[in-house]
Amino acid sequence: MTAGRALVFVLALSWANALPTPGELDFVENVRDVGMPRIVSGWEAEEGQIPYQLSLRMVAKNGAVFSCGATIIHSEWGLTAAHCTAERVTIVIRAGGRALSRPQLLFETTDYYNHPEYDESLTIVQPHDIGVIKFNRVLEFNDLVQPIRLQASADKYKNYDMIRLQTSGWGRTWTNGVGPEVLNWVYLLGTSNARCRAAFGGSPIVVDSTICASNYNVTSQSTCQGDSGGPLVVIDVDGLPSEVGVTSFVSGTGCHTGFPAGFIRPGPYHEWLTEVTGIDFDWDPSSTTPTSPSPPEEDSEESEEGEEDTSSSSSSEEGEEDD
């Protein structure tokens, strides 16, 4: 695979059928690839394993329905990708539980705030792909519903190259494949911005506020259609999880092709987040006591080996358009 072949796509899914020409940036909905269905090459989450994960269903002005992920960052606020909520008229949110058909909470909101430098009128991949959702209710936290801490501003440009990260979502399990009923998760390896930018032929989309991640131990591991807006998580210096990325884009070659997936770092946006929400989400990593996280449990399933990894968009289509 040459860098010239790498196209960057937002992890969204719509019903557009035309393939982009080389070098174009577009939504992941336009990513088309033939493959057997198989997040990609990951594992089903246990109940309560990822209590901060949200599922979104958004309705556009023309009645089209899109699917995305998001995270709980406060009892009244969620974090997602701006392209998920851009120009949507309503958002249905599922929280708690791993199965889409059995959420602990199911509610609707119309309030969202996308970063002012994200242009909602443009249907192309762009930086600042980050936004917040106002729940218009106060969530009661329990074993299945919990917030996640955001990346500290002190670490906003940290190099996560070769650091193990985790992402999750209800997105398709293969390019153009099926969307699961049960939440999936997968390990990824951080990829330096320099290597990520080179993989996409020097694309200007990979900026300082971008974080990229590639497959962990099987080339097909990645996010896919329907995972947009979901979390990229690291075990931080104190042994607790922090969200260091919001799922944004992938290669136009597909979800399982081996190119890095792109995420937006929350760290550079703390000032804006506080301005919009009135809440200070920042914290000081130097004030924490470093601990060694518990060793990971043995993977209950082995990802299929020998599959070619093609990083593709992370949204899943379920008779709906997915962001």
Side-chain angles (χ1 to χ4, degrees), residues 34-252:
V34 178
M36 295 299 293
R38 209 347 238 145
I39 276 155
V40 176
S41 295
W43 305 275
E44 289 189 354
E46 298 296 328
E47 198 73 59
Q49 178 183 343
I50 308 174
Y52 47 82
Q53 180 84 45
L54 295 173
S55 168
L56 306 182
R57 291 291 186 276
M58 297 78 56
V59 181
K61 296 176 182 177
N62 64 359
V65 179
F66 297 78
S67 299
C68 270
T71 53
I72 302 168
I73 59 173
H74 182 268
S75 60
E76 297 181 75
W77 294 93
L79 184 72
T80 191
H83 77 263
C84 289
T85 52
E87 299 193 333
R88 308 302 188 232
V89 295
T90 189
I91 304 167
V92 176
I93 301 174
R94 289 174 171 84
R98 64 182 194 138
L100 287 174
S101 61
R102 297 189 301 277
Q104 186 169 83
L105 297 172
L106 177 63
F107 57 97
E108 187 175 10
T109 184
T110 58
D111 293 340
Y112 70 86
Y113 304 87
N114 285 340
H115 193 272
E117 291 184 68
Y118 184 88
D119 189 341
E120 293 193 15
S121 69
L122 299 178
T123 56
I124 59 173
V125 181
Q126 51 186 302
H128 312 296
D129 187 12
I130 189 170
V132 289
I133 302 168
K134 184 71 161 57
F135 295 151
N136 290 324
R137 63 168 57 198
V138 178
L139 302 187
E140 293 186 11
F141 296 145
N142 54 47
D143 289 345
L144 300 183
V145 179
Q146 288 286 329
I148 187 167
R149 180 177 60 186
L150 297 184
Q151 177 189 44
S153 60
D155 290 337
K156 60 185 177 182
Y157 301 130
K158 182 176 179 177
N159 183 4
Y160 293 93
D161 193 46
M162 301 307 291
I163 292 177
R164 191 180 72 178
L165 308 169
Q166 177 182 308
T167 189
S168 52
W170 285 275
R172 293 184 176 191
T173 54
W174 200 265
T175 308
N176 262 2
V178 297
E181 157 73 3
V182 173
L183 180 65
N184 274 234
W185 67 278
V186 73
Y187 288 133
L188 298 177
L189 274 183
T191 302
S192 70
N193 279 22
R195 289 202 293 128
C196 185
R197 192 175 297 111
F200 291 111
S203 172
I205 295 301
V206 181
V207 296
D208 288 346
S209 57
T210 305
I211 178 173
C212 295
S214 301
N215 61 283
Y216 178 64
N217 62 355
V218 174
T219 57
S220 56
Q221 292 166 331
S222 186
T223 54
C224 201
Q225 297 156 319
D227 290 326
S228 289
L232 184 69
V233 175
V234 71
I235 300 301
D236 228 313
V237 292
D238 57 356
L240 299 176
S242 297
E243 181 173 357
V244 297
V246 177
T247 306
S248 180
F249 65 85
V250 290
S251 165

